[in-house]
């Protein structure tokens, strides 16, 4: 909530600069959007296409309500690196495996240029409400809004040039510039993957192109892959057996869930990671994989409860990335290798050999 309010505050400022205003409404979308459309005599509503089943159902409800009053409801594909119309296959025919998707997309598709914001905006008169901030324990660097997103992009690529070594450092458990940290801004639409892509390409042209600069694009492709896959399977990713594979574990033990979520398992690395997630709403990508694998294979539990806990905690929650990655780890998603079981002792030696991460996040 804190991140979203910060993002709205920044958007409000950006609109003011261009002569516009931002109307922030508290309440259910189903009720409030119709009410304000009638108040301002709005004839058309624009929004982005959703891919999760609950989100799609909500959009359908709103659309039906608006159409009764002659109000059009138009959705647009956004949030992805590639536009779906530019892919060499329809969403219905998207490959099951990422590698095939990536190779076809890279060979036959082109990433469109990002849009610049309009210079002027005209809005009807209304009383604007100041957006109240809330206290939060999220990391200090994780500030919402386009302004902070662009600052982060410039810092990571140009000022610090951390993108040069991204592939070698991305799996570390902590360290601000060891990974991009773009995910929360992407999830809320504060920055587009095309803006990030265009800056990477400019850096490659002017400074350096290597495996690390490509690997950031590679990760953006994974994000696209899950989002497009959700368009094909809007409900399957929330089911126990996912895309038709067999889930290895189907049980749910409340005591194990309590121990896992509260950082009270028998594994110190798991406890440290769960504490960071719970307290800050963020953990590294590598730690997310370790935590997910331990819940599924170490504790032998229904993977969906773990995915739901991540949804509850993460500041950068994205429906497709979260549930797609969890299904992948559990072996019921876009994979044919039966899941990803991590050896906790090996992961500890690889990524926290000196114990610094555990020391930081284990509760005395």
């Amino acid at each position: 909530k804190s991140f979203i309010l910060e993002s709205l505050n920044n958007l409000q400022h950006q609109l003011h600069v261009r002569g516009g205003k931002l109307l922030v409404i508290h309440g259910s979308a189903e009720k409030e959007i119709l009410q304000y459309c009638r108040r301002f005599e709005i004839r058309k509503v624009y929004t982005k296409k959703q891919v999760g089943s609950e989100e799609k159902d909500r959009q359908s409800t709103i659309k039906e309500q608006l159409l009764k009053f002659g109000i059009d409801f138009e959705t647009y594909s956004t949030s992805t690196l590639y536009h779906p119309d530019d892919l060499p296959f329809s969403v219905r025919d998207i490959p099951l495996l990422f590698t095939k998707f990536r190779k076809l997309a890279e060979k036959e598709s082109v990433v469109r240029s990002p849009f610049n914001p309009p210079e002027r905006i005209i809005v009807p008169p209304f009383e604007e409400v100041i957006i109240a901030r809330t206290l939060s324990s999220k990391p200090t660097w994780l500030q919402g809004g386009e302004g902070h997103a662009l600052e982060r992009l410039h810092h990571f690529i140009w000022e610090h040039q951390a993108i040069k070594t991204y592939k070698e450092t991305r799996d570390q458990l902590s360290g601000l510039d060891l990974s991009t940290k773009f995910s929360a801004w992407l999830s809320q639409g504060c920055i587009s993957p095309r803006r990030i892509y265009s800056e990477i390409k400019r850096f490659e042209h002017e400074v350096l192109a290597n495996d690390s600069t490509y690997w950031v694009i590679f990760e953006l492709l994974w994000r696209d892959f899950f989002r497009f896959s959700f368009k094909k399977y809007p409900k399957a990713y929330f089911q126990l057996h996912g895309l038709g594979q067999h889930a290895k574990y189907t049980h749910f033990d409340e005591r194990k869930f309590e121990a896992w979520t509260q950082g009270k398992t028998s594994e110190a690395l798991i406890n440290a990671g769960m504490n960071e997630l719970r307290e800050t709403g963020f953990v590294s990508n590598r730690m997310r994989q370790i935590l997910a694998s331990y819940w599924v294979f170490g504790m032998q539990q229904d993977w969906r409860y773990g995915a739901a806990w991540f949804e509850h905690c993460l500041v950068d929650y994205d429906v497709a990335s979260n549930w797609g990655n969890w299904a992948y780890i559990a072996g019921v998603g876009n994979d044919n290798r039966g899941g990803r079981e991590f050896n906790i002792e090996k992961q500890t030696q690889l990524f926290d050999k000196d114990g610094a991460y555990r020391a930081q996040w284990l509760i005395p």
Side-chain angles (χ1 to χ4, degrees):
K1 182 180 179 181
S2 175
F3 187 87
I4 291 170
L5 291 174
E6 290 165 359
S7 300
L8 289 173
N9 191 281
N10 185 256
L11 177 58
Q12 189 176 62
H13 171 72
Q14 298 286 352
L15 289 170
H16 285 171
V17 172
R18 293 162 176 82
K21 290 182 178 181
L22 182 67
L23 181 60
V24 180
I25 304 164
H26 295 270
S28 71
E30 293 90 336
K31 177 182 177 182
E32 301 296 342
I33 290 177
L34 176 59
Q35 177 182 325
Y36 277 85
C37 281
R38 299 182 71 183
R39 172 181 166 183
F40 290 108
E41 298 183 347
I42 291 167
R43 287 283 154 253
K44 188 171 289 189
V45 173
Y46 301 85
T47 187
K48 77 170 186 176
K49 289 181 179 178
Q50 297 293 337
V51 295
S53 55
E54 291 177 1
E55 292 83 355
K56 287 169 72 73
D57 288 345
R58 177 170 290 185
Q59 281 198 341
S60 295
T61 299
I62 295 170
K63 181 177 181 178
E64 289 174 8
Q65 291 177 338
L66 295 178
L67 287 176
K68 290 178 182 177
F69 292 89
I71 303 168
D72 290 336
F73 185 83
E74 292 197 12
T75 60
Y76 288 82
S77 292
T78 179
S79 305
T80 53
L81 185 61
Y82 288 108
H83 192 284
D85 290 348
D86 299 337
L87 293 174
F89 41 75
S90 70
V91 171
R92 293 190 305 272
D93 299 321
I94 186 172
L96 175 66
L97 301 181
F98 170 71
T99 300
K100 186 175 181 180
F101 164 83
R102 176 183 62 81
K103 289 181 177 179
L104 286 171
E106 288 180 332
K107 181 180 179 182
E108 301 185 36
S109 302
V110 176
V111 176
R112 299 183 184 185
S113 298
F115 290 109
N116 290 320
E119 294 181 1
R120 296 294 297 169
I121 295 172
I122 300 173
V123 297
F126 59 83
E127 184 178 351
E128 197 170 38
V129 178
I130 296 174
I131 301 170
R133 305 293 187 96
T134 62
L135 295 175
S136 172
S137 59
K138 62 181 175 59
T140 54
W141 58 265
L142 198 52
Q143 301 292 311
E146 181 190 36
H148 288 289
L150 293 175
E151 285 177 10
R152 176 61 189 168
L153 180 66
H154 182 73
H155 172 83
F156 185 80
I157 294 180
W158 296 102
E159 286 183 350
H160 195 269
Q161 296 194 356
I163 194 170
K164 288 180 177 179
T165 55
Y166 170 75
K167 191 176 181 182
E168 290 74 41
T169 63
R170 74 191 194 284
D171 280 336
Q172 298 304 308
L173 304 185
S174 59
L176 181 58
D177 290 330
L178 299 181
S179 62
T180 66
K181 306 294 192 297
F182 297 149
S183 56
W185 292 294
L186 282 167
S187 72
Q188 293 299 334
C190 300
I191 195 170
S192 75
R194 293 174 198 169
R195 181 71 61 185
I196 295 170
Y197 177 87
S198 68
E199 282 299 291
I200 294 171
K201 285 300 176 182
R202 186 162 74 90
F203 182 85
E204 289 182 333
H205 177 71
E206 296 179 12
V207 182
L208 172 74
N210 63 10
D211 286 348
S212 287
T213 58
Y214 168 72
W215 214 256
V216 180
I217 298 171
F218 180 87
E219 300 289 1
L220 291 174
L221 283 168
W222 262 111
R223 185 175 175 276
D224 265 22
F225 177 62
F226 281 134
R227 191 166 186 86
F228 291 134
S229 294
F230 263 66
K231 288 187 177 184
K232 183 176 181 179
Y233 306 106
K235 295 184 178 180
Y237 284 96
F238 307 104
Q239 306 301 321
L240 177 62
H241 300 298
L243 303 185
Q245 296 90 322
H246 178 72
K248 191 171 183 180
Y249 302 107
T250 62
H251 304 294
F252 174 67
D253 186 318
E254 289 187 13
R255 291 172 298 178
K256 287 185 176 182
F257 187 70
E258 175 76 10
W260 183 68
T261 58
Q262 301 307 309
K264 296 178 181 179
T265 73
S266 60
E267 295 288 350
L269 185 66
I270 298 299
N271 296 341
M274 294 305 291
N275 289 341
E276 183 186 13
L277 173 64
R278 193 180 62 255
E279 294 299 319
T280 71
F282 185 88
V283 284
S284 68
N285 182 58
R286 169 59 60 166
M287 180 52 76
R288 295 181 198 201
Q289 295 178 60
I290 295 170
L291 297 175
S293 178
Y294 185 74
W295 170 251
V296 176
F297 299 103
M299 305 189 90
Q300 301 182 352
Q301 296 293 296
D302 183 334
W303 66 274
R304 295 171 299 170
Y305 288 87
W309 180 252
F310 272 37
E311 175 176 345
H312 172 71
C313 292
L314 288 171
V315 175
D316 63 8
Y317 172 71
D318 175 278
V319 60
S321 294
N322 183 68
W323 289 86
N325 273 302
W326 266 92
Y328 183 87
I329 289 288
V332 296
N334 300 87
D335 192 19
N336 55 7
R337 290 191 280 177
R340 295 292 185 275
E341 183 173 1
F342 287 77
N343 182 298
I344 303 304
E345 183 178 344
K346 181 180 179 181
Q347 297 298 308
T348 303
Q349 285 297 310
L350 285 173
F351 302 111
D352 194 36
K353 192 172 184 178
D354 62 0
Y357 180 79
R358 280 165 290 169
Q360 181 179 3
W361 291 108
L362 287 179
I363 299 173

